[in-house]
Amino acid sequence: IMKLIQIALKYCKKVVCILLIILMMFSCTGFTASENKYKIDEPTKIELLNKAEIVQWKEFDEIMSFGSRFIIIDYYTGSYFVCERHMGASHADVETIDKEATKSLRSVYKDRENWKHRPVLVVMEDGRVYAASSFVLDHAGRDDKPFLKVVDDRSRGYGRGENYDKIKNNGMDGHICIHVRGSKNHFDGKESQKHQSNIDYLEKEKNK
């Protein structure tokens, strides 16, 4: 629990720490850190899921404002990491805030088949929790070039274009995506069935 509280103290407002201390009352071993991996246990994950809200993109876009920081919890594994939003008109484009957060993010890679689209819980600075889905593979940017500068060889085969990598020296080239109800892809303006299915999954898990 102390590891996550330390992250919250460093990157988020005090209210997040208050939420985590409350959660500790439900599970004194809820948050652990071993081998540099941040992870939440099953009882604490379920407690957060029960608090999770399912909201439409228009509302979420205002909640997760540009520059806001928050904790993302991968629902399958319980791994968590701190991110910041900096872009996104149809869904949220976010980045891990440092190399430690990136390492935790990448611990979920190859976790299972179709691992790139994952159900997640988002804990905001005000302590509220939201059900969401994330495309967890960093893309469309370069950590070694200025934000929004036109560059070549953007990550994951995006080629030449604006560099969608704002936070530097975090070990990530580009950003990851967060989707909620009603959010859409940037490339085609349509809802992603994979992301919506992940939110359906969280809703069913919550209503068990």
Side-chain angles (χ1 to χ4, degrees), residues 164-191:
Y164 298 139
D165 183 301
K166 183 174 184 180
I167 299 177
K168 302 304 176 183
N169 301 313
N170 64 347
M172 172 186 284
D173 287 307
H175 61 277
I176 63 175
C177 302
I178 300 293
H179 285 250
V180 295
R181 286 278 188 243
S183 60
K184 298 178 180 178
N185 298 319
H186 289 148
F187 65 90
D188 64 3
K190 298 179 181 179
E191 288 189 6

Side-chain angles (χ1 to χ4, degrees), residues 49-68:
L49 177 65
N50 289 335
K51 297 175 181 288
E53 302 174 48
I54 297 174
V55 298
Q56 292 291 320
W57 167 246
K58 184 176 181 180
E59 179 181 357
F60 192 72
D61 187 29
E62 296 180 356
I63 293 167
M64 185 183 278
S65 58
F66 288 178
S68 61

Side-chain angles (χ1 to χ4, degrees), residues 32-40 72-81 96 99-112 115 118 136-138 172:
T32 61
S34 60
E35 298 180 355
N36 296 320
K37 284 178 60 177
Y38 293 101
K39 204 160 192 174
I40 195 171
I72 296 177
I73 301 170
D74 177 63
Y75 189 77
Y76 290 143
T77 65
S79 295
Y80 56 86
F81 39 92
T96 49
K99 290 180 179 178
E100 193 169 4
T102 300
K103 184 175 182 179
S104 182
L105 163 67
R106 289 182 174 163
S107 73
V108 311
Y109 283 13
K110 310 295 184 180
D111 168 61
R112 62 195 65 214
W115 58 271
R118 306 181 71 83
V136 295
L137 193 62
D138 49 321
M172 172 186 284

Side-chain angles (χ1 to χ4, degrees), residues 2-148:
M2 288 309 299
K3 278 288 186 178
L4 189 55
I5 289 177
Q6 288 166 5
I7 291 176
L9 281 169
K10 185 175 182 181
Y11 299 116
C12 302
K13 294 178 181 177
K14 292 181 179 179
V15 68
V16 175
C17 299
I18 294 171
L19 170 68
L20 297 176
I21 292 169
I22 292 173
L23 289 175
M24 187 169 57
M25 295 171 61
F26 291 95
S27 177
C28 62
T29 59
F31 297 87
T32 61
S34 60
E35 298 180 355
N36 296 320
K37 284 178 60 177
Y38 293 101
K39 204 160 192 174
I40 195 171
D41 70 6
E42 189 69 17
T44 309
K45 184 180 74 174
I46 297 304
E47 180 64 28
L48 283 170
L49 177 65
N50 289 335
K51 297 175 181 288
E53 302 174 48
I54 297 174
V55 298
Q56 292 291 320
W57 167 246
K58 184 176 181 180
E59 179 181 357
F60 192 72
D61 187 29
E62 296 180 356
I63 293 167
M64 185 183 278
S65 58
F66 288 178
S68 61
R69 289 187 170 184
F70 40 87
I71 296 170
I72 296 177
I73 301 170
D74 177 63
Y75 189 77
Y76 290 143
T77 65
S79 295
Y80 56 86
F81 39 92
V82 180
C83 287
E84 178 180 310
R85 183 188 177 192
H86 59 87
M87 291 188 69
S90 300
H91 62 257
D93 292 335
V94 311
E95 293 182 46
T96 49
I97 48 83
D98 59 20
K99 290 180 179 178
E100 193 169 4
T102 300
K103 184 175 182 179
S104 182
L105 163 67
R106 289 182 174 163
S107 73
V108 311
Y109 283 13
K110 310 295 184 180
D111 168 61
R112 62 195 65 214
E113 189 176 3
N114 301 320
W115 58 271
K116 297 177 184 178
H117 298 79
R118 306 181 71 83
V120 297
L121 299 174
V122 179
V123 183
M124 297 300 298
E125 291 179 331
D126 62 1
R128 295 171 72 179
V129 185
Y130 299 91
S133 177
S134 179
F135 180 72
V136 295
L137 193 62
D138 49 321
H139 58 283
R142 291 180 55 173
D143 197 39
D144 63 341
K145 298 294 182 180
F147 179 51
L148 295 182

